[in-house]
Amino acid sequence: MEQTVAATSDKPQDQQPSPYIKFVRPHLLGLAPYVGVEPPEELARKAGLPVERIVKLNANENPYGPSPKVARGLVAGSNYHIYPDPEQRVARQALAEYAGTDVGPEHIVVGAGSDELIDLLLRLFVGPGDMVVDCPPTFGYYAFAIGVAGGKVVEAPRDAEFNLDLEAFKEAVAAGAKLAFVASPNNPTGNVLYKDQVEKLLETGIIVVMDEAYYEFCGVTMVHLMPKHDNLVVLRSFSKWAGLAGLRLGYGCFPVWMAELIRKIKPPYSLNAAAQVALLESLADREHLKGTVRAIVAEQERLMAALKELPFLKVYPSQANFILCAVKDGEALSLVQSLEKKGIYLRYYDTPRLKDSFRISVGKPEDSETLLKALRDWGRVKGTL
Ligand SMILES: Cc1ncc(COP(=O)(O)O)c(C=O)c1O
């Protein structure tokens, strides 16, 4: 799941609060919502453009979409009236073979996106007041989901280059945290964590959740460490490399003791039959998907080089299918808004650590061209080019 825009409320403005609101758990009432990305049709409506003109570079989606075998498999499927296997046997077997030599089906749990596995981990470990390490700037869903669970976020801020700060992490652990979420590559900064660093995190003795949603774009994984460490979880997603964001498919590789508990508490049928078809067809067609991943990585490098030519941008390195940029003269918002008028949607940030920044999801070469032209036009208007 990705967060970009503020949702418009469907609630009438003058509606009185329900008397039953008193039964809602109080910590949820004050919680800021997680706002997901809007669909292309809505973006087109806002921009006043036909949907084909929308260049959607705001949610790290895969512009090439799923394997063509997915659509064929979905049409051929026949058991949609039967509940899917609550034990996810076929999917777990296929994923174990994909995830790596040391991973077996006993380690795996599949979810409706890796978001669901994040929620299940919190359901397993975090109750009201329990502390969880978050390493900002990072994927906003962690802090939101910790809040929903009633947990308390303990921040271990990343350093100036957005690399993980081990000392800050240790301080967060010393404050009493029991669990940490660490994305690698990190969204939105693109930094990767290597084995030596991860081993140091594991030595702190808390549960370390390595979120590898973008693994296929960089090839760096910690999954082989998992069977040797009872406190390491690796999360993966089919939303990005396999182009299946719309079908909601993620999985986790857990130590056996934890996988058993996660399976025990999960909703029984969260891997739906359509997602299972998509999973199996994607894995069977992984050579095709690896080809689209290679195209995205090549395009990322080409786009990165072109962005670096623009004097008004600071471009951060990235090992994923997105690029973080800061606008040097502090006009990121007006830049992003002017692009939106042209139907080009990026992810804008204005947090203290990501001031005047935006993240570009890598699209097809023609998407990059449209974006680069609009950026150059903006630079000319501003006199910075
Ligand atoms: C770091 C990270 N983890 C997890 C997710 C969620 O992925 P999914 O679509 O599998 O729920 C995202 C989505 O943007 C992400 O950036």
Side-chain angles (χ1 to χ4, degrees):
M1 190 170 22
E2 267 292 339
Q3 180 174 27
T4 57
V5 281
T8 45
S9 172
D10 296 331
K11 212 170 60 175
Q13 292 304 308
D14 54 358
Q15 193 180 309
Q16 291 300 312
S18 165
Y20 301 106
I21 208 150
K22 63 179 185 250
F23 297 130
V24 175
R25 288 188 288 159
H27 76 277
L28 294 177
L29 290 174
L31 194 74
Y34 186 92
V35 184
V37 282
E38 295 198 277
E41 294 71 20
E42 185 57 20
L43 300 179
R45 192 190 63 73
K46 283 189 175 158
L49 291 169
V51 74
E52 321 77 72
R53 291 271 309 277
I54 297 302
V55 180
K56 190 173 182 301
L57 304 177
N58 63 356
N60 301 339
E61 291 144 337
N62 186 325
Y64 297 97
S67 153
K69 291 193 171 165
V70 169
R72 291 203 284 273
L74 286 170
V75 170
S78 59
N79 273 344
Y80 298 141
H81 60 302
I82 304 288
Y83 281 105
D85 177 10
E87 292 295 319
Q88 310 174 331
R89 292 172 185 87
V90 176
R92 281 165 51 210
Q93 185 65 48
L95 282 168
E97 184 257 320
Y98 174 71
T101 41
D102 305 319
V103 181
E106 67 279 14
H107 294 117
I108 291 179
V109 185
V110 193
S114 40
D115 290 342
E116 187 185 26
L117 297 157
I118 294 168
D119 282 340
L120 287 171
L121 280 159
L122 291 165
R123 210 183 283 180
L124 186 62
F125 290 111
V126 176
D130 285 341
M131 287 184 237
V132 184
V133 186
D134 192 34
C135 307
T138 191
F139 182 41
Y141 189 74
Y142 306 138
F144 168 76
I146 295 164
V148 172
K152 194 164 171 297
V153 172
V154 193
E155 291 194 346
R158 287 167 178 268
D159 70 14
E161 272 81 47
F162 302 130
N163 287 312
L164 205 92
D165 180 338
L166 183 62
E167 288 315 308
F169 190 94
K170 284 184 178 162
E171 278 170 33
V173 174
K178 42 158 76 170
L179 179 82
F181 289 105
V182 184
S184 175
N186 184 45
N187 174 12
T189 64
N191 312 58
V192 161
L193 221 63
Y194 293 95
K195 184 167 171 271
D196 293 357
Q197 295 164 293
V198 175
E199 281 173 339
K200 295 215 169 71
L201 303 186
L202 292 168
E203 279 165 20
T204 63
I206 65 167
I207 309 283
V208 177
V209 182
M210 293 299 302
D211 183 344
E212 296 184 356
Y214 301 93
Y215 150 68
E216 281 81 359
F217 298 103
C218 69
V220 180
T221 179
M222 294 302 133
V223 82
H224 53 283
L225 293 182
M226 180 275 298
K228 296 177 216 122
H229 293 274
D230 255 0
N231 57 336
L232 175 61
V233 178
V234 174
L235 300 183
R236 298 269 188 84
S237 173
F238 274 60
S239 296
K240 319 293 177 178
W241 76 285
L244 288 174
L247 275 180
R248 312 306 302 127
L249 187 55
Y251 64 102
C253 302
F254 302 85
V256 174
W257 72 271
M258 210 191 295
E260 283 170 357
L261 287 167
I262 294 276
R263 276 202 290 278
K264 178 165 130 180
I265 64 166
K266 76 172 182 55
Y269 309 116
S270 53
L271 171 60
N272 73 69
Q276 171 160 318
V277 168
L279 183 158
L280 298 176
E281 295 292 349
S282 300
L283 292 181
D285 202 18
R286 78 186 73 163
E287 286 315 312
H288 165 86
L289 290 172
K290 279 187 194 163
T292 59
V293 166
R294 277 195 297 275
I296 292 167
V297 170
E299 186 53 26
Q300 198 258 39
E301 286 164 9
R302 202 181 71 87
L303 177 61
M304 173 95 67
L307 291 168
K308 283 184 178 164
E309 301 283 307
L310 300 175
F312 52 91
L313 291 184
K314 174 174 165 51
V315 184
Y316 292 91
S318 166
Q319 300 214 46
N321 64 338
F322 51 79
I323 300 170
L324 181 70
C325 301
V327 181
K328 286 181 188 160
D329 60 7
E331 290 203 61
L333 184 58
S334 85
L335 171 52
V336 167
Q337 285 172 340
S338 82
L339 295 180
E340 286 181 1
K341 289 198 186 105
K342 297 179 176 183
I344 305 167
Y345 284 84
L346 310 179
R347 170 75 167 96
Y348 167 69
Y349 298 95
D350 194 22
T351 58
R353 290 298 305 281
L354 293 179
K355 256 212 137 0
D356 282 308
S357 301
F358 56 80
R359 187 197 64 200
I360 305 166
S361 306
V362 177
K364 291 183 176 176
E366 55 266 37
D367 300 324
S368 301
E369 287 316 314
T370 308
L371 170 68
L372 287 166
K373 180 179 179 310
L375 287 171
R376 289 183 193 121
D377 286 349
W378 188 84
R380 272 187 219 105
V381 170
K382 292 282 162 188
T384 50
L385 210 65

